[in-house]
Amino acid sequence: MLRHLRTTVRHRSTIILWHHHNHYHRSAKYNPPKTANPPSPPKPPKAPQKPQTFTFHDVTWEDSYSWMSSLQDKVAMRHMDMYMEQEEKYTEAVMSDTERLQTKLQSEMASRLNFDLSTPPLRWGPWLYYRRVEEGKQYPVLCRRLASLNEEFISHKYPSSGFDFTSGKRIEQKLLDYNQEAERFGGYAYEELSEISPDHKFLAYTMYDKDNDYFKLSVRNLNSGALCSKPHANRVSNLAWVKDGQALLYVITDENKRPYRIYCSMIGSTDEDVLLLEEQDENVYVNIRHTKDFHFVTVNTFSPTFSKVFLINAADPFSGMNLVWESEGIVHCVLEHHQGYLYLFTDAPKDGQIIDSHYLLRSPVDSSSNPRIWENVFIADQNLVIEDVDFCNSHLVLITREGRKYGICSVALPLPGWKQAIHLRELQPHFLPLPKHVCNISPGPNYDYYSKTMRFTISSPVMPDAVVDYDLSNGKWNIVQQQNMLHERTRILYGTALSSAIAEKTTNVKFSSMNDVKSEDGNLWNDLSEFYACEHHDVSSYDGAMVPLTIVYSRKNRKDNQSPGLLHGHGAYGEILDKRWRSELKSLLDRGWIVAYADVRGGGGGGKKWHHDGRRTKKQNSIKDYISCAKYLVEKEIVQENKLAGWGYSVGGFLVASAINCCPDLFRAAVLKVPFLDATNTLLYPILPLMAADYEEFGYPGDIDEFHAIRKFSPYDNIQKDALYPAVLVSSSFNTRFGVWEAAKWVARVREQTIYDPKHPILLNLTIDIVEENRYLQCKESAMETAFLLKTVDS
């Protein structure tokens, strides 16, 4: 998979905890409890003010709450602890009348979770690898079994504990119990990287050490289950196996979390690990990954001024690094190898001209030209965008997009030789079946390079994520895991039983061009469009730019011209807004809410220009796009006036908070999850390390024009005085990339400068755990957010 450097998979993405729904029900609005004499509303706490003056370029400003980020000041931190305790009590008091509602919502959401579940097994060589959660345990167990043993084995429950009583063979091998890892790491089992060696003998993985705030590398012998004596490295950011699993390359970061050193460790050797590369320039970052055939390791080095790709021979990692490609500036570039050719997937400028989308190049491995000559693999059709690329030994697979329509097509390998550039259609691409309303396609790990079956996760706003195996040789497709909302179960099918169970739908599929492929029957995909509608709108922004807006609602429960609505936004780093079906939002949809998604500039899905038109000095475009979408929902009477709420996660919280600053009366409420709010101070005086991509996105404050732009869009610095703000729930954590002080400062300043109205509370909700790694906390937090929205908008 080439679009993202996913050498490994995070715990939260590999442990697919599919949700389980019990029944459809008619839900009422939130009704506060009736009392004879309603108590007076609780008063919000007031944070101590300790004004401090800052000057940069030609601007001087005062910050009364800068003390909140003085982590080395023990007195300030004691005050912060007391203030956080007051905020916690205030939030509990304001939300106390929703306790029964929160319990009901949490029960609804928990009923959609299946707590005894396995991820779909991934075949690699002779093995099937999978993770499963044992009853009563919080974290999963990594397991494997030989694919040749008991192929009718459908559930990890039977045979019990992986033992086949008929054959008398134990067919399951436990490789790693993350519950035991949690005991090693202070109660947390938060995995960042996980790589099995190509000989299937070792597992290299990194676990988060919360006490030291870094990821620690361990290597485990899969035959004995014991930890290897080395390597044991801290602050590890990348892994790659070499020498057929006899050695491991890994990257460590400096104290500012900049990846800068590559080491090679010989497994089983007592020799010290060998330093292969050290980048001393603090602006240069290092990344490694192995090619899918394990013949090479690619080394990406990049800075604000250049991007380079080097090759290491995996058979001889000490033979040096060879430069194979370079470009100016930060660009996306991923290298793959196939039968003597290097393939480069990149969005680098061509002939000095910025390119709006990615393209694919190739060059012979043994090319002697200097600089190396790269040729286009094909010329894409003008309206067809290549979003991602994946390889196996027999096929090249492209994830495409034409407007809003996604596609997956395969091209047989090896490619024919040609003397001039040809169009993609001349390679006879075969487009594979997809459901309606696809909003994202993610390649699976697809470790088995020699398999003709590739796995993808297909996402839609009105369909639970489907993990699908496509047989590239004949076009057959199988859903190997998906939550089935209609039949109240989640299915995991594999082995020969898979084919017999769904043979009726996987008859031979005729290969087609993208124009010929029609969206498949939703019943085959567990599509919910019979119950939930998905509409696509184009909204004209302030400058005429057309902003895609996706709207989802319940066909049964939508109230014409009276529906409350929730508008999601992100708009940064060129990342596609997450529009996947989320079972927790079903609680709002079934109560008549509209859920909308604004694909504003700065985000993904519209090419490089769309991203660049919403970053740095053009960041205001993102904010104005979001406001235009919000106004559209109200003006078109899709959402009832004064019943619109905003929702943003991380930099999405920045977007929503900025929109509130501009138009506080447009929103009735908002949920900001671990938001980025104090742009000026964070970019000028970072307490937590920032990456080059952060400055590329929001601007370099050293540049006076970009500094002034930052000042204009920073949510913390542009709160309207004496205005009535909507009700806002700000969720933050002590384990987040943006410090909890950002949320606390913004909450304190909003309360200080705006009109106080107990019906529009500004709340701060704090957690100490890594919520996204704990499904119980996820349910609890989602229930609170939903109760907050129902209380403040739908009451």
Side-chain angles (χ1 to χ4, degrees):
M1 190 279 291
L2 298 182
R3 178 65 175 88
H4 302 290
L5 288 174
R6 241 184 266 171
T7 56
T8 49
V9 187
R10 281 181 182 268
H11 174 162
R12 62 170 169 262
S13 60
T14 54
I15 310 309
I16 308 173
L17 299 172
W18 300 95
H19 300 171
H20 182 73
H21 177 243
N22 281 340
H23 59 275
Y24 285 91
H25 58 85
R26 181 171 300 185
S27 304
K29 290 184 180 179
Y30 162 73
N31 292 310
K34 296 180 180 179
T35 56
N37 295 306
S40 57
K43 290 291 180 68
K46 290 186 177 181
Q49 297 188 29
K50 305 174 184 179
Q52 187 174 354
T53 301
F54 299 87
T55 299
F56 196 77
H57 288 310
D58 54 351
V59 179
T60 298
W61 68 96
E62 188 178 90
D63 187 350
S64 298
Y65 304 106
S66 62
W67 62 269
M68 292 185 182
S69 59
S70 301
L71 304 186
Q72 305 306 318
D73 186 333
K74 293 183 179 180
V75 174
M77 289 301 96
R78 281 199 296 270
H79 289 169
M80 187 67 166
D81 288 342
M82 290 187 289
Y83 175 55
M84 292 296 97
E85 188 175 339
Q86 293 171 11
E87 288 289 354
E88 183 180 14
K89 291 180 179 178
Y90 175 63
T91 298
E92 288 179 358
V94 171
M95 296 297 293
S96 61
D97 62 346
T98 68
E99 286 182 0
R100 290 180 63 185
L101 176 62
Q102 287 186 59
T103 301
K104 177 178 173 58
L105 289 167
Q106 192 169 348
S107 177
E108 286 178 19
M109 295 171 184
S111 73
R112 301 173 196 139
L113 289 174
N114 191 315
F115 294 98
D116 192 10
L117 201 56
S118 163
T119 61
L122 177 69
R123 184 160 189 165
W124 183 14
W127 294 98
L128 289 171
Y129 290 91
Y130 54 98
R131 303 182 190 228
R132 61 181 177 83
V133 179
E134 298 179 325
E135 186 175 355
K137 298 292 183 66
Q138 179 174 341
Y139 297 105
V141 180
L142 174 64
C143 305
R144 72 179 178 187
R145 66 180 180 86
L146 285 171
S148 60
L149 289 179
N150 197 337
E151 289 197 354
E152 298 291 339
F153 179 52
I154 295 192
S155 168
H156 70 265
K157 284 186 176 180
Y158 306 102
S160 178
S161 301
F163 189 82
D164 183 354
F165 291 97
T166 302
S167 64
K169 295 179 180 178
R170 181 173 296 279
I171 62 175
E172 180 181 85
Q173 179 186 0
K174 287 186 179 182
L175 304 180
L176 184 62
D177 188 337
Y178 290 94
N179 297 283
Q180 295 177 4
E181 292 297 303
E183 296 176 7
R184 289 178 60 205
F185 292 95
Y188 290 96
Y190 183 21
E191 180 185 78
E192 175 77 3
L193 307 173
S194 178
E195 288 282 351
I196 291 172
S197 61
D199 60 3
H200 303 275
K201 293 181 179 179
F202 298 98
L203 169 68
Y205 61 103
T206 62
M207 301 296 295
Y208 181 61
D209 185 333
K210 67 183 182 69
D211 293 332
N212 296 297
D213 190 28
Y214 56 55
F215 287 90
K216 186 178 182 66
L217 171 65
S218 299
V219 176
R220 193 173 289 273
N221 185 315
L222 297 184
N223 291 324
S224 67
L227 283 172
C228 297
S229 58
K230 62 182 284 289
H232 282 297
N234 300 326
R235 304 198 306 270
V236 173
S237 64
N238 273 124
L239 304 172
W241 286 101
V242 292
K243 294 180 72 68
D244 292 327
Q246 298 176 43
L248 179 71
L249 303 188
Y250 61 91
V251 179
I252 66 169
T253 64
D254 62 16
E255 293 181 354
N256 292 320
K257 299 188 178 181
R258 176 182 67 93
Y260 77 118
R261 285 179 180 169
I262 303 176
Y263 284 93
C264 180
S265 178
M266 298 299 296
I267 305 300
S269 169
T270 57
D271 296 339
E272 289 190 4
D273 296 349
V274 179
L275 178 65
L276 300 184
L277 173 70
E278 179 174 12
E279 280 290 354
Q280 296 184 346
D281 187 337
E282 63 182 15
N283 294 312
V284 178
Y285 295 75
V286 177
N287 190 298
I288 63 172
R289 64 182 292 273
H290 63 77
T291 56
K292 296 195 70 174
D293 59 6
F294 285 96
H295 286 186
F296 298 97
V297 170
T298 65
V299 179
N300 288 57
T301 62
F302 56 93
S303 76
T305 58
F306 71 83
S307 298
K308 296 180 181 180
V309 182
F310 300 84
L311 272 190
I312 293 177
N313 184 345
D316 185 8
F318 302 114
S319 61
M321 301 192 309
N322 296 319
L323 177 67
V324 294
W325 188 82
E326 61 182 319
S327 176
E328 294 183 355
I330 296 180
V331 297
H332 183 256
C333 46
V334 185
L335 199 71
E336 195 49 81
H337 173 255
H338 182 272
Q339 295 186 9
Y341 279 92
L342 299 177
Y343 288 84
L344 181 75
F345 188 59
T346 184
D347 61 355
K350 278 187 176 181
D351 302 322
Q353 300 295 316
I354 292 179
I355 302 297
D356 201 38
S357 57
H358 285 71
Y359 54 94
L360 189 62
L361 303 173
R362 78 170 183 173
S363 176
V365 171
D366 57 4
S367 173
S368 59
S369 60
N370 189 12
R372 177 181 289 269
I373 297 175
W374 292 88
E375 60 186 9
N376 283 295
V377 173
F378 54 79
I379 301 172
D381 295 334
Q382 186 174 3
N383 297 322
L384 192 70
V385 176
I386 309 300
E387 292 283 358
D388 209 341
V389 179
D390 205 348
F391 280 87
C392 67
N393 189 52
S394 60
H395 287 82
L396 162 66
V397 177
L398 308 174
I399 296 177
T400 65
R401 181 177 53 80
E402 190 169 2
R404 291 179 177 174
K405 185 178 181 180
Y406 280 86
I408 305 178
C409 73
S410 64
V411 175
L413 293 175
L415 296 176
W418 58 85
K419 295 184 178 179
Q420 59 184 14
I422 62 174
H423 288 271
L424 174 59
R425 59 179 176 272
E426 297 178 66
L427 295 175
Q428 298 181 328
H430 297 145
F431 281 85
L432 303 170
L434 288 170
K436 299 176 182 178
H437 306 300
V438 173
C439 66
N440 195 37
I441 301 173
S442 303
N446 294 325
Y447 284 120
D448 200 332
Y449 179 69
Y450 297 98
S451 172
K452 292 183 179 180
T453 298
M454 274 199 178
R455 180 168 294 175
F456 296 87
T457 299
I458 313 300
S459 300
S460 162
V462 288
M463 181 192 77
D465 279 2
V467 182
V468 183
D469 280 352
Y470 287 97
D471 188 331
L472 305 180
S473 65
N474 57 25
K476 287 185 177 181
W477 57 280
N478 293 328
I479 297 177
V480 294
Q481 187 177 57
Q482 187 182 31
Q483 177 190 7
N484 190 326
M485 302 290 288
L486 304 181
H487 297 97
E488 303 178 4
R489 63 187 174 88
T490 299
R491 65 176 169 189
I492 305 168
L493 302 168
Y494 51 93
T496 57
L498 170 64
S499 302
S500 60
I502 50 180
E504 293 182 5
K505 78 168 189 196
T506 56
T507 53
N508 284 323
V509 179
K510 292 183 178 179
F511 284 130
S512 312
S513 68
M514 187 170 188
N515 292 331
D516 295 332
V517 171
K518 296 181 180 179
S519 297
E520 294 288 320
D521 183 350
N523 291 333
L524 297 179
W525 291 89
N526 290 329
D527 188 301
L528 302 176
S529 54
E530 179 183 348
F531 306 96
Y532 301 95
C534 178
E535 297 179 358
H536 300 288
H537 299 246
D538 290 305
V539 178
S540 179
S541 192
Y542 78 103
D543 58 355
M546 302 307 293
V547 182
L549 179 67
T550 303
I551 297 172
V552 180
Y553 58 87
S554 166
R555 297 185 187 276
K556 177 182 178 182
N557 297 306
R558 180 183 179 181
K559 309 156 191 170
D560 290 338
N561 306 330
Q562 298 180 19
S563 293
L566 184 65
L567 179 60
H568 291 72
H570 186 73
Y573 299 104
E575 296 171 345
I576 294 176
L577 176 63
D578 185 2
K579 298 186 285 289
R580 295 174 301 164
W581 170 267
R582 286 166 44 200
S583 63
E584 64 267 27
L585 289 178
K586 187 179 183 300
S587 295
L588 286 177
L589 291 168
D590 289 350
R591 287 170 170 81
W593 279 59
I594 305 292
V595 176
Y597 303 88
D599 281 299
V600 304
R601 279 173 284 186
K608 184 178 285 189
K609 185 178 186 303
W610 189 258
H611 171 212
H612 286 190
D613 281 349
R615 68 171 194 163
R616 295 169 75 163
T617 57
K618 297 180 180 180
K619 181 55 71 177
Q620 288 287 357
N621 286 339
S622 303
I623 301 164
K624 292 179 180 179
D625 288 353
Y626 185 81
I627 292 171
S628 297
C629 289
K631 290 180 176 179
Y632 179 90
L633 291 171
V634 174
E635 291 168 0
K636 298 295 182 181
E637 297 184 336
I638 298 169
V639 173
Q640 183 178 350
E641 187 176 6
N642 200 33
K643 285 204 171 184
L644 177 64
W647 194 96
Y649 174 80
S650 187
V651 290
F654 162 93
L655 177 72
V656 176
S658 297
I660 290 173
N661 283 342
C662 296
C663 303
D665 57 344
L666 183 58
F667 302 91
R668 181 72 174 268
V671 174
L672 312 180
K673 292 178 68 70
V674 291
F676 173 41
L677 298 170
D678 190 7
T680 302
N681 288 304
T682 296
L683 294 170
L684 265 180
Y685 314 110
I687 296 171
L688 300 177
L690 297 180
M691 305 287 283
D694 299 316
Y695 291 105
E696 287 289 314
E697 186 64 35
F698 293 97
Y700 293 87
D703 181 292
I704 190 167
D705 293 332
E706 296 195 1
F707 171 74
H708 284 298
I710 293 166
R711 290 286 298 169
K712 287 180 181 178
F713 64 60
S714 173
Y716 180 66
D717 297 305
N718 291 279
I719 296 167
Q720 282 196 31
K721 292 186 177 181
D722 301 323
L724 179 61
Y725 266 44
V728 182
L729 174 64
V730 185
S731 295
S732 191
S733 169
F734 295 100
N735 286 293
T736 61
R737 179 163 167 259
F738 299 114
V740 68
W741 53 87
E742 295 223 3
K745 289 175 65 175
W746 187 85
V747 165
R749 182 173 274 187
V750 168
R751 292 209 195 110
E752 173 198 347
Q753 296 189 352
T754 63
I755 296 173
Y756 168 70
D757 184 342
K759 294 182 180 179
H760 293 227
I762 308 296
L763 304 181
L764 181 59
N765 178 42
L766 296 173
T767 64
I768 59 172
D769 294 304
I770 305 174
V771 173
E772 55 269 287
E773 297 304 316
N774 187 315
R775 52 211 158 111
Y776 305 102
L777 287 178
Q778 277 184 321
C779 267
K780 185 176 181 181
E781 186 164 283
S782 295
M784 180 182 181
E785 292 168 5
T786 304
F788 172 80
L789 292 170
L790 294 173
K791 170 185 170 73
T792 55
V793 176
D794 209 15
S795 60

